[in-house]
Amino acid sequence: MTAMTFPTGRTYDFTAIGRLCIDLNANEIHRPMEETMTFTKYVGGSPANITIGMSRLGLKTAFIGKIADDQMGRFIHSYLESNGIDTGNVVTDRTGAVTGLAFTEIKSPTDCSILMYRDNAADLKLSPLEVSEELIANSKALLISGTALAASPSREAVFLALDYARRHGTTVVFDIDFRPYTWVNPEETAVYYNLAAEKSDIIVGTREEFDSMERFEQNAEREDRFTASKWFDHSAQIVIIKHGKEGSIAYSRDGAEHRAKSYPAKVVKTFGAGDSYAAGFIYGMMGGWTIEKSMEFGSAAACIVISSHSCSDAMPTVEQVEDYIERCNRGEITAG
């Protein structure tokens, strides 16, 4: 399998549904959170970052989500619009819900953590009645994110969006995005993740995220091919399992295993890599590229983001990714 077919004649290339929040990234890196005094504000949330990434790569994008009726919510809305993302289905909560906050700690390039505030978060208040079937029908691809499945009514909104996508032949991408603090228990996580994965054409996650889905599976060896093979009995065409700095493995419905080279990076922090990787990979697949070329493009995009202080602001353009790859091939960029 070298490429996927996406629907044609749609208004939007890519639409995502799910989490919209604020990232507050530590300015004093190489310090623990307890000693960090200042932070820089960015738009955050995995589906938001991926959509921003897709827009920066030149695709026409839209978002389905809910923001708080506060200053942070208005900041998010303005940022999405300034990045060319259609916000017609980004609705404002009127119940007093707040914007989720993520404070990041950067002790070292490999020792990073996130302190989340998700109580009464507006993005989890999105209801099924607020999901536009017309928007999904007019999109080539719909990305869903696992965090949005953690609570009602957002959970039901995502499943309705999945039904709309299947009804209209819209390609579904499932970014597992497992955040354990948003779930009641591991069994709940596994059940709803599996139900969503069954309706998805592309499934992307880390080895640990796929482990969270296999609560009821017999995969003690954590074998990647075993993990991927299950989903080809459903809708999946491609399953990507990420192994951090060791790279990623993609499995396709035809039984093939795909690996691609990774690139060096001068790492500032680890978070944001998965979002930029997903944007780069999906961009490649929508362009009719091979799985390997799409993986390499995603890997280079990820390197750019983890070499930066931000996630959303650092999402690269096509030209920036291509330049990064060329510089790596010339040996101008080394790991550090």
Side-chain angles (χ1 to χ4, degrees):
M1 178 179 180
T2 58
M4 275 189 62
T5 300
F6 290 79
T8 58
R10 304 286 176 98
T11 303
Y12 298 95
D13 297 303
F14 179 88
T15 295
I17 183 171
R19 182 160 49 106
L20 293 164
C21 69
I22 295 293
D23 285 347
L24 293 161
N25 290 3
N27 291 328
E28 296 101 295
I29 62 175
H30 308 306
R31 290 187 184 181
M33 184 78 74
E34 294 87 343
E35 299 175 12
T36 303
M37 300 301 294
T38 63
F39 301 81
T40 299
K41 179 177 70 174
Y42 304 104
V43 168
S46 181
N49 288 337
I50 295 171
T51 307
I52 292 164
M54 295 294 280
S55 185
R56 295 264 176 88
L57 293 170
L59 299 186
K60 189 168 184 181
T61 61
F63 203 91
I64 302 170
K66 200 160 200 174
I67 53 175
D69 185 17
D70 61 19
Q71 297 93 326
M72 295 298 190
R74 290 187 284 276
F75 171 78
I76 292 170
H77 189 273
S78 175
Y79 189 89
L80 296 179
E81 291 202 326
S82 69
N83 277 270
I85 298 166
D86 188 295
T87 59
N89 204 175
V90 175
V91 297
T92 301
D93 175 81
R94 305 296 180 186
T95 69
V98 298
T99 302
L101 302 177
F103 289 85
T104 65
E105 177 182 60
I106 310 173
K107 289 183 179 179
S108 74
T110 57
D111 187 5
C112 303
S113 64
I114 300 175
L115 177 62
M116 296 285 287
Y117 289 85
R118 296 280 293 155
D119 291 342
N120 197 34
D123 60 271
L124 291 173
K125 305 293 183 181
L126 181 72
S127 78
L129 295 178
E130 293 169 322
V131 176
S132 169
E133 180 176 2
E134 181 180 6
L135 174 57
I136 294 171
N138 284 320
S139 301
K140 295 178 183 178
L142 171 72
L143 179 132
I144 65 167
S145 177
T147 307
L149 298 172
S152 297
S154 173
R155 174 184 295 160
E156 290 78 15
V158 171
F159 280 112
L160 182 61
L162 282 170
D163 286 345
Y164 289 157
R166 300 255 61 98
R167 180 183 303 172
H168 296 285
T170 302
T171 300
V172 175
V173 182
F174 179 25
D175 173 36
I176 299 175
D177 190 31
F178 177 51
R179 309 286 175 170
Y181 42 76
T182 60
W183 291 87
V184 174
N185 56 61
E187 291 75 23
E188 179 189 52
T189 305
V191 167
Y192 287 108
Y193 275 0
N194 276 268
L195 288 172
E198 289 175 2
K199 299 174 180 288
S200 302
D201 300 290
I202 301 174
I203 308 171
V204 183
T206 65
R207 178 65 256 179
E208 292 73 22
E209 287 175 328
F210 277 101
D211 289 344
S212 72
M213 299 172 66
E214 295 185 340
R215 186 74 176 175
F216 311 110
E217 305 291 335
Q218 301 299 316
N219 188 16
E221 301 300 320
R222 303 171 76 214
E223 207 280 315
D224 288 344
R225 184 171 287 279
F226 177 93
T227 294
S229 63
K230 170 182 177 178
W231 303 113
F232 299 129
D233 293 331
H234 299 281
S235 300
Q237 300 294 316
I238 300 171
V239 176
I240 298 180
I241 303 175
K242 297 180 291 185
H243 289 273
K245 64 181 182 181
E246 297 176 7
S248 303
I249 305 171
Y251 296 90
S252 51
R253 180 178 281 271
D254 59 8
E257 179 179 309
H258 307 264
R259 296 176 185 264
K261 69 177 181 180
S262 57
Y263 295 95
K266 296 189 181 299
V267 181
V268 173
K269 42 83 171 121
T270 54
F271 42 84
D275 301 339
S276 48
Y277 177 93
F281 177 79
I282 299 165
Y283 172 82
M285 295 306 297
M286 295 190 80
W289 298 357
T290 64
I291 293 175
E292 288 84 358
K293 183 178 178 181
S294 300
M295 292 171 72
E296 290 179 3
F297 192 85
S299 174
C303 288
I304 292 172
V305 169
I306 61 176
S307 301
S308 170
H309 184 259
S310 72
C311 294
S312 55
D313 275 9
M315 291 291 167
T317 64
V318 172
E319 293 74 19
Q320 288 172 322
V321 178
E322 291 176 342
D323 177 68
Y324 192 91
I325 292 172
E326 290 176 5
R327 290 167 61 202
C328 287
N329 291 339
R330 292 196 299 264
E332 296 176 8
I333 298 176
T334 58

